[in-house]
Amino acid sequence: MSISKVGGKMKILYMTMMYPVPGCPQKGVFCHEQVKALIHEGVEVDVIVPLPFYDDEYETDTWIFEGVKIRYIKYFKIPGTIGFQYIGKYLYLALKKAKIDFKKYDILHADAPLPAGDAIRRISKEYHIPYVIHGHGLDVFFSNSYREAKNCKKITEICIKVYEEADAVAGVSQKVLNCIKQRVDISSKGYVIYNGVDTEKFLPIEHENKKLELISIGNLIPLKGHKYTILAIKKLVEAGYDNVHLRIFGRGEQETELVQLVQKIKMENYVQFMGYVQYEQVAKALQMSDIFILPSYYEALGCVYLEAMACGIPVIGCKENGIDEIIKDGEDGYLIQGKSVESIVESIKKMLENRRYKVMGVQARKHVEEKYSWRSSAQSLIKLYRNIIG
């Protein structure tokens, strides 16, 4: 019998590919923040981060980061999609070789169906320990990422099996759970566990800008919708709203294209590319801004919206994405149709009326404090754990 079942701490094995490494401490920081919150709530958590054997990102076996001990385990994986459906099995074998004492855990927690989920599923069967699969993205069966791969069908079948056999399935939004429900009946075991935000790190500060400072933070890839934000700035300026300035933080495959677009439409004085930003600098960048815009049209949730709201600035996000479960349209931000330049323009105009963005920013901070701290997220997850332990 485990300690938790006789009144001690609940013990969780938390396995994820999305977790900080020394060279990139902001990688998967949302998982790390959740683990810290769980520990703060009295849960004992061991973190395992699987790495392909050829990954030289970090060679040491363990690392203690902000009080959390992380163990890195290398497993066999061929680069690319060849044999991808087997990586859960390969990770399982690597875990067995590592001689981990699985019997001490009450719950096994994996962040995705492959490789962690399938490995956890096999361990669960062997040791009779319940397991949770936690979906952080919309491609819940990898059927989009690997749709061109010959083994896509087999990959999807493994993912389905992992969800079917799980004792509970968590999603960072109802949108994520709905994606899973399209192929697997999780009606009796699906839980929405929203990500949170550190409201002590991300908080408002008094500032007054000479221009309306707009900010966007996200990878420079098509689905983030940066192109539509840039075109919206062009329309605002043409309409006489020329006292605006947009800073875009991020790097990605679309960077050259977006820079050229700004040059083509002669918006160099209004749009500034800031490049990659360290996570510890994100709060400062948000605190000095007035409105956050990220018209991403394929988003499971988006922690950066919560971080912006926590800093007391209203946000603009897309309908029919995870964030539309959080933004109160017209109160602490606006929800727009994806790929709609006009919607972005109209939303900014509304916020400018009588400096309405100031009032909306106060509401945004209040909303996040009430419902979306990391403590709230951890408490929801603990409730899930207790439900499946019985």
Side-chain angles (χ1 to χ4, degrees):
M1 181 178 288
S2 65
I3 295 174
S4 67
K5 291 168 185 168
V6 292
K9 285 188 175 183
M10 188 185 299
K11 295 181 182 292
I12 308 297
L13 175 62
Y14 193 105
M15 190 181 304
T16 175
M17 299 281 285
M18 296 180 287
Y19 213 83
V21 293
C24 190
Q26 67 271 24
K27 176 184 176 183
V29 69
F30 48 89
C31 287
H32 178 61
E33 292 292 338
Q34 191 166 68
V35 166
K36 287 198 301 180
L38 285 170
I39 293 171
H40 188 266
E41 292 299 304
V43 179
E44 190 172 314
V45 186
D46 289 344
V47 177
I48 290 180
V49 179
L51 294 174
F53 75 93
Y54 53 81
D55 193 336
D56 59 359
E57 192 169 32
Y58 191 43
E59 292 298 333
T60 308
D61 292 336
T62 59
W63 178 44
I64 296 176
F65 179 50
E66 296 183 336
V68 179
K69 186 176 180 180
I70 309 158
R71 184 173 180 181
Y72 301 92
I73 291 185
K74 297 285 185 81
Y75 69 100
F76 179 76
K77 179 188 178 298
I78 299 172
T81 61
I82 297 174
F84 192 83
Q85 68 269 32
Y86 303 119
I87 61 173
K89 180 180 179 181
Y90 297 147
L91 175 56
Y92 162 76
L93 294 173
L95 292 168
K96 291 284 287 181
K97 188 177 180 181
K99 296 181 179 179
I100 296 166
D101 181 14
F102 296 109
K103 293 178 181 179
K104 70 179 181 179
Y105 297 111
D106 300 297
I107 303 282
L108 307 173
H109 183 132
D111 78 306
L114 279 172
D118 190 36
I120 286 292
R121 179 184 69 85
R122 295 167 186 271
I123 293 166
S124 172
K125 272 189 172 183
E126 184 173 346
Y127 294 93
H128 307 291
I129 306 169
Y131 76 93
V132 178
I133 296 298
H134 201 153
H136 290 92
L138 295 180
D139 191 8
V140 292
F141 299 102
F142 297 107
S143 50
N144 288 327
S145 301
Y146 299 105
R147 61 180 177 272
E148 302 298 329
K150 292 180 180 179
N151 56 344
C152 182
K153 184 179 178 181
K154 291 181 179 178
I155 293 169
T156 300
E157 288 172 354
I158 292 291
C159 293
I160 289 172
K161 182 183 288 188
V162 172
Y163 290 120
E164 285 179 339
E165 297 183 15
D167 294 271
V169 177
V172 294
S173 63
Q174 186 61 50
K175 176 80 173 177
V176 172
L177 292 184
N178 290 343
C179 290
I180 298 170
K181 286 179 179 179
Q182 291 175 9
R183 291 176 177 171
V184 180
D185 181 10
I186 58 169
S187 54
S188 64
K189 60 182 181 181
Y191 298 79
V192 176
I193 308 292
Y194 291 111
N195 281 341
V197 60
D198 185 340
T199 53
E200 295 181 4
K201 181 185 296 181
F202 293 88
L203 73 171
I205 64 169
E206 288 294 326
H207 69 280
E208 199 64 45
N209 297 315
K210 293 181 179 179
K211 292 186 176 183
L212 182 74
E213 285 291 340
L214 310 173
I215 185 171
S216 187
I217 301 175
N219 294 331
L220 304 187
I221 55 178
L223 62 84
K224 296 295 182 181
H226 294 297
K227 178 177 76 173
Y228 306 102
T229 304
I230 292 168
L231 293 174
I233 298 302
K234 172 71 171 175
K235 281 189 170 290
L236 277 170
V237 172
E238 290 175 342
Y241 297 84
D242 57 357
N243 196 35
V244 297
H245 181 246
L246 169 67
R247 291 180 299 160
I248 300 176
F249 290 83
R251 281 270 156 83
E253 64 188 56
Q254 210 182 13
E255 184 169 358
T256 300
E257 177 186 335
L258 293 173
V259 170
Q260 290 175 347
L261 172 62
V262 169
Q263 293 170 345
K264 181 180 178 182
I265 62 177
K266 302 186 186 306
M267 284 289 106
E268 297 98 321
N269 292 333
Y270 299 92
V271 179
Q272 185 178 6
F273 291 92
M274 307 301 294
Y276 175 77
V277 59
Q278 294 283 348
Y279 184 68
E280 57 268 22
Q281 296 300 316
V282 171
K284 185 177 180 180
L286 289 168
Q287 287 166 339
M288 300 307 296
S289 304
D290 298 309
I291 298 172
F292 177 83
I293 308 173
L294 188 64
S296 176
Y297 49 86
Y298 190 75
E299 200 77 50
L301 183 67
C303 287
V304 69
Y305 296 99
L306 296 175
E307 292 165 351
M309 293 169 74
C311 288
I313 63 176
V315 299
I316 297 175
C318 285
K319 296 176 181 178
E320 300 176 4
N321 284 269
I323 196 61
D324 76 359
E325 299 168 29
I326 291 176
I327 296 174
K328 293 181 179 179
D329 192 37
E331 293 185 28
D332 51 26
Y334 282 104
L335 292 166
I336 64 171
Q337 292 296 334
K339 305 181 183 181
S340 173
V341 173
E342 269 316 315
S343 293
I344 299 173
V345 173
E346 290 307 310
S347 295
I348 295 173
K349 285 182 179 179
K350 288 176 185 176
M351 288 187 187
L352 282 170
E353 292 174 5
N354 300 317
R355 291 164 60 92
R356 190 180 179 193
Y357 62 88
K358 291 284 188 181
V359 176
M360 295 178 77
V362 173
Q363 290 299 317
R365 171 68 186 186
K366 183 180 178 183
H367 189 192
V368 165
E369 280 186 308
E370 288 174 351
K371 291 187 176 181
Y372 300 106
S373 67
W374 277 117
R375 185 183 183 191
S376 295
S377 179
Q379 289 173 343
S380 296
L381 197 49
I382 290 168
K383 184 177 180 181
L384 181 161
Y385 291 155
R386 287 176 177 158
N387 284 346
I388 64 175
I389 288 175

